[in-house]
Amino acid sequence: MDTLIISLTGSPVGNETLTVNLSGIYDQAGNGPINVSGDVSLHDIHPFTITITSTDISSGDITDDSSINLTFICDEETNDFSANHITVSNQGTISNFSGSGTHYTATLEPFTTGEYITYAIQVKGGEFLGQGTTKNTASNIFNDSFS
């Protein structure tokens, strides 16, 4: 048994037309191909990831800064990622959220200063859509301690 492998390149979202030239391909009985044509609907089935980093500190560090800058990088463009998708433990606050496409930034402000408090920042899985109909996987957990 022979297998015909067909590859399609391009955007994994939307409707595409797939044309395959089957001339010269026959089954074991010598029957030629049946011409089949039409539109093929493609769907992005792979969840995408988001990674949280900071230009100020590394995850797990302790800082005495009044705030830290965070960066959120998606490996697929998104149109609906917002500050509401970011969770922060211990009553930390996300402000100055901005960005588009795959790159976003925000500021983490501690609930109080002068106390040693650790904050865990994360984007939970299934919170927002990528280019297609798939949702994000959970991000890494970025830990920061203010003293």
Side-chain angles (χ1 to χ4, degrees):
M1 171 186 241
D2 292 328
T3 303
L4 175 63
I5 299 172
I6 301 170
S7 297
L8 178 64
T9 59
S11 172
V13 179
N15 293 323
E16 305 289 338
T17 300
L18 174 65
T19 304
V20 179
N21 181 351
L22 298 175
S23 63
I25 298 176
Y26 300 92
D27 66 14
Q28 290 177 341
N31 298 313
I34 298 172
N35 290 328
V36 177
S37 64
D39 292 333
V40 177
S41 181
L42 303 174
H43 302 282
D44 183 359
I45 60 171
H46 300 288
F48 61 97
T49 60
I50 182 166
T51 304
I52 305 171
T53 61
S54 175
T55 56
D56 299 330
I57 64 170
S58 296
S59 181
D61 284 355
I62 299 171
T63 184
D64 60 357
D65 293 342
S66 61
S67 64
I68 63 164
N69 296 306
L70 299 170
T71 302
F72 302 83
I73 302 293
C74 300
D75 69 354
E76 183 174 298
E77 286 194 18
T78 179
N79 294 326
D80 65 344
F81 179 48
S82 71
N84 295 333
H85 298 122
I86 304 168
T87 60
V88 181
S89 65
N90 293 323
Q91 298 179 322
T93 303
I94 295 292
S95 63
N96 302 318
F97 181 86
S98 66
S100 64
T102 61
H103 188 265
Y104 298 83
T105 58
T107 303
L108 169 65
E109 298 174 1
F111 173 67
T112 184
T113 56
E115 294 182 37
Y116 181 83
I117 299 177
T118 299
Y119 296 92
I121 302 97
Q122 183 180 34
V123 177
K124 293 182 180 178
E127 291 289 307
F128 59 96
L129 294 172
Q131 291 176 330
T133 58
T134 59
K135 294 189 175 187
N136 66 294
T137 59
S139 72
N140 61 308
I141 298 173
F142 190 92
N143 291 299
D144 173 43
S145 297
F146 286 86
S147 62

